[in-house]
Amino acid sequence: MNMPSDTAISLPLYDEALKFANHGEKMIQIAVRALTLNIYNVADEMVYQFLTTPTASAYFSSLILNLKNKCLHVDAIINGVKESFHEKKRDLLSETDRILDDFYYLKDILCIPEQRLNKLVTENIVNMLILPMLLTLLNNRLSNDTGLSAITCLYVLCRLLQVFDGTNLVNVIGSAVLFSFMPPNVTDAAESVVSARLEQVNGLAVCYQEGEEMVDLQHEGAENFMMNYVLKHSLEFTELSSCFDSSPLENSENEWGGIFSCIFSRNHSLMLGSLMLLFTVADSKDLHYQLAAKIGFSQVKTASEMIGSTVAGHIQKIVNQLLKVLASEPPLSVPILLHAAWFLRKLLVFLDQKLEDNDCHLFKTSYEVSCGHLYEEFDRCWFDHIPDVLKSEWANCKTALEESSQSKDPFFLLELASIQNPPSGSMAFLLLSSFLLLFIFLLFYLCCLLLKSIVLPPASFLFNISGNTGPAFDWQRMVDCVKVFVLHLQLKPFIFGGDPFDNPLANLKNSYLAQSGKRYPSDLSLASFGSEVALGSGIPCKIAFSGAGTRDIYVIPIAREISGKLLLVERHPLHSRKGVVIAIAPLAGLDPKIDEEHPTWLLVHLRDFEPRLRSDETKTLDSHTSLPEQGRWILGFLSAKDCKAAFSVILEETRKQRSFVENLVAPVLEEKLFK
């Protein structure tokens, strides 16, 4: 270290290391940051003098600027035109991991017990990152002058609060969030609402600086004094809105700015993001008790204690907004419903009063719709898995709903924004492409009509109206229906009363075990590939396998309780009354049909997508999942009578299996739905 006149002017090792601070290689970045942290931890007066000089301290400013650039890159990924959702999610995960790395690095710096270094880093974080993002939210803008969107701001602020525990940054953000709840009519009539909120947030920064000037930061207790000074002035602003605290929220959402405008936004990502920020602030253990009392989520438990709180007095309105999301028609995507249910459960815990009749009606309607959608799945190809999925999703949803705001990953905000808000350029391109394809197909169809010698293609070739089909997508739809139903089931005790720890699906498992009874070796439902079984009432037919030629077999459909199988059995070479199982297909999803042109042919469909369920996880589809095409068997019978007989017995065994599953699940779904 060069030290003329007892003043540190350079630290060669430090200076050389910073040249590689933004190196593309991850391991080099880790080495540089480890070295800088070791230098920051050196308890030497001259080292800290050097680090706080304008030249050396520029590193901290550049660190925040690079962090902002990464946030801008997150926005660019969300609004990307060419990327698929899977590619967006992969890139978003990578970029947010880099942001988290920066946050933890900054946190490590703030954990060093040196006030001057803490002050320098905190000022850069507040002035260059937090305040610009808060201005975006408080000014009710979708993006700020730098192009950073409100969604990204909400994500970054939530993540920042989760990482920087043990600091006063939560009080800075909490104070600014409280300013946003001031209604426009308490501001000067000559000024716009936006100007008022700008002055409020800028006033917070001024108070922060005044507090620093009034006290020596090296003195013991100086930090607490400064924060109390800032809070004293910030709470003066909120006292101006006493009429707001005690009056019901009856105004249109357009009359409210800041976070409230996001909470009542029609953009579900903004609504959930603003609530996420609010809960993250309220649940922070570092939140000042006065701010906590104003927000009213963490310490407040009873309605009488909520009277003086800014947010808790309007829980009823927020609950109504979330219930509208649950009851929306057509139903919203499952991720939106899942996160809305998480917020709803959190709010209902704090709400120590009954919901209004309109809110109860909204939930009842939504609950009955979820029951109806699940009931429809009994007529589809995965009804035999419904009991297992119900049990697994109960545990999954319970874990998700009970997750704390401090551990809940706000990454879901970026995912929803990617799905919910496709860029306008991309939408225009998709619409134009659709019209061009439609025009080409119509032109082709017209040519076919004019040239009768050309065979017309089927309508399904021209217009794929049904969209995604097949067992895999049917499975995902069934899992989503179960998930939404279970969400309602777990919210029900918080709305209508009851034990929230009661698991109605526990009886489902017991009933299933009780009805399963004892199995016997002769039970055909236990047959597996290669098993020897009695031909019994099997119906003879032929089937052609690729590479194996035509084979004479017997068709044996069998349903026992929740299990249902279609066995293809080949006669045993030594026992005329026995056969060997050469193929098995689940009864559910067979959807048998007799070929119209060949009345002796029976077509049955196969579920080529077969999930493997575990007690703690339900297999779901990702957007990049490679799916097999749906297979089928064509069974050729000796006569049309035999074909009809096989068709009837398959339907009958499937009905028996479905009936058992319905009766098993009926107590959970309410019996009236099955009448």
Side-chain angles (χ1 to χ4, degrees), residues 444-670:
F444 176 74
Y445 193 78
L446 182 60
C447 292
C448 292
L449 290 176
L450 295 175
L451 303 174
K452 294 186 179 181
S453 60
I454 299 178
V455 178
L456 291 177
S460 59
F461 172 78
L462 295 176
F463 306 104
N464 185 14
I465 300 175
S466 60
N468 294 327
T469 58
F473 292 102
D474 291 338
W475 166 264
Q476 185 63 63
R477 185 191 59 244
M478 185 272 289
V479 171
D480 289 344
C481 289
V482 171
K483 191 186 297 288
V484 173
F485 169 73
V486 170
L487 285 177
H488 286 80
L489 208 60
Q490 295 192 3
L491 288 174
K492 193 176 179 181
F494 295 95
I495 295 179
F496 299 110
D499 185 3
F501 299 102
D502 182 34
N503 181 3
L505 299 180
N507 296 328
L508 174 66
K509 182 177 181 181
N510 296 333
S511 299
Y512 173 46
L513 294 176
Q515 296 181 57
S516 295
K518 187 176 180 180
R519 299 294 183 107
Y520 298 93
S522 60
D523 189 350
L524 289 177
S525 65
L526 299 177
S528 59
F529 181 80
S531 299
E532 291 187 9
V533 298
L535 293 179
S537 59
I539 303 174
C541 65
K542 294 180 180 292
I543 188 171
F545 291 109
S546 58
T550 303
R551 302 174 72 169
D552 294 320
I553 60 170
Y554 288 80
V555 174
I556 305 177
I558 179 67
R560 190 180 191 279
E561 299 176 351
I562 202 170
S563 174
K565 300 176 181 179
L566 178 65
L567 306 179
L568 300 189
V569 182
E570 195 170 37
R571 186 186 294 274
H572 197 284
L574 301 178
H575 303 281
S576 60
R577 296 184 180 181
K578 288 187 177 182
V580 179
V581 178
I582 63 171
I584 301 176
L587 279 180
L590 285 182
D591 189 23
K593 286 184 174 59
I594 298 176
D595 190 85
E596 294 181 357
E597 297 182 359
H598 305 86
T600 60
W601 289 9
L602 183 64
L603 282 62
V604 294
H605 297 85
L606 308 178
R607 295 189 318 204
D608 290 340
F609 174 79
E610 192 68 21
R612 295 291 181 266
L613 287 177
R614 299 186 307 181
S615 59
D616 60 340
E617 182 180 350
T618 301
K619 182 173 181 180
T620 57
L621 296 181
D622 200 351
S623 57
H624 67 288
T625 303
S626 178
L627 301 175
E629 294 184 0
Q630 184 176 12
R632 67 175 183 175
W633 287 339
I634 301 178
L635 306 174
F637 293 86
L638 298 177
S639 64
K641 181 180 179 182
D642 288 345
C643 187
K644 290 181 180 179
F647 174 79
S648 299
V649 73
I650 290 175
L651 290 182
E652 176 60 22
E653 292 297 312
T654 305
R655 185 200 63 77
K656 287 166 54 178
Q657 181 188 14
R658 181 184 295 110
S659 177
F660 179 86
V661 177
E662 287 182 351
N663 292 332
L664 186 64
V665 181
V668 181
L669 269 175
E670 298 182 351

Side-chain angles (χ1 to χ4, degrees), residues 250-469:
E250 297 177 349
N251 297 329
S252 169
E253 55 265 28
N254 296 327
E255 298 182 14
W256 300 97
I259 296 296
F260 247 130
S261 66
C262 295
I263 290 176
F264 298 113
S265 170
R266 294 181 180 178
N267 184 319
H268 298 108
S269 299
L270 280 178
M271 178 190 71
L272 298 178
S274 58
L275 286 174
M276 183 69 193
L277 177 60
L278 207 56
F279 275 105
T280 307
V281 170
D283 288 347
S284 174
K285 65 180 186 301
D286 304 306
L287 185 65
H288 192 278
Y289 73 93
Q290 289 180 283
L291 289 176
K294 277 291 175 182
I295 294 178
F297 279 170
S298 52
Q299 280 85 356
V300 175
K301 296 296 182 184
T302 65
S304 60
E305 293 173 318
M306 288 183 181
I307 295 176
S309 62
T310 303
V311 184
H314 307 294
I315 287 182
Q316 197 91 32
K317 180 71 174 181
I318 303 174
V319 166
N320 177 265
Q321 189 76 358
L322 291 170
L323 286 171
K324 288 180 179 178
V325 172
L326 283 183
S328 61
E329 285 293 337
L332 299 173
S333 66
V334 174
I336 291 180
L337 297 180
L338 177 62
H339 297 299
W342 182 84
F343 288 108
L344 186 58
R345 182 187 181 278
K346 296 275 286 185
L347 289 171
L348 291 172
V349 171
F350 293 110
L351 188 63
D352 193 22
Q353 59 186 19
K354 291 184 178 181
L355 293 181
E356 296 179 358
D357 292 341
N358 180 50
D359 293 335
C360 292
H361 177 71
L362 277 174
F363 182 80
K364 286 180 179 178
T365 301
S366 179
Y367 179 71
E368 290 175 358
V369 169
S370 70
C371 291
H373 288 162
L374 181 55
Y375 179 59
E376 291 173 358
E377 292 301 318
F378 286 99
D379 292 326
R380 293 171 176 152
C381 69
W382 291 102
F383 69 83
D384 54 329
H385 279 269
I386 289 178
D388 288 331
V389 176
L390 274 170
K391 289 180 286 187
S392 62
E393 283 303 320
W394 177 271
N396 295 341
C397 292
K398 184 176 178 63
T399 301
L401 291 180
E402 293 178 351
E403 188 177 18
S404 69
S405 57
Q406 294 299 316
S407 60
K408 187 176 178 65
D409 190 349
F411 182 79
F412 74 89
L413 299 174
L414 306 180
E415 287 186 288
L416 294 181
S418 300
I419 300 173
Q420 194 174 359
N421 301 315
S424 58
S426 176
M427 288 299 295
F429 175 78
L430 289 174
L431 288 174
L432 180 60
S433 301
S434 299
F435 280 121
L436 286 175
L437 286 173
L438 180 62
F439 176 76
I440 292 172
F441 281 135
L442 286 175
L443 184 62
F444 176 74
Y445 193 78
L446 182 60
C447 292
C448 292
L449 290 176
L450 295 175
L451 303 174
K452 294 186 179 181
S453 60
I454 299 178
V455 178
L456 291 177
S460 59
F461 172 78
L462 295 176
F463 306 104
N464 185 14
I465 300 175
S466 60
N468 294 327
T469 58

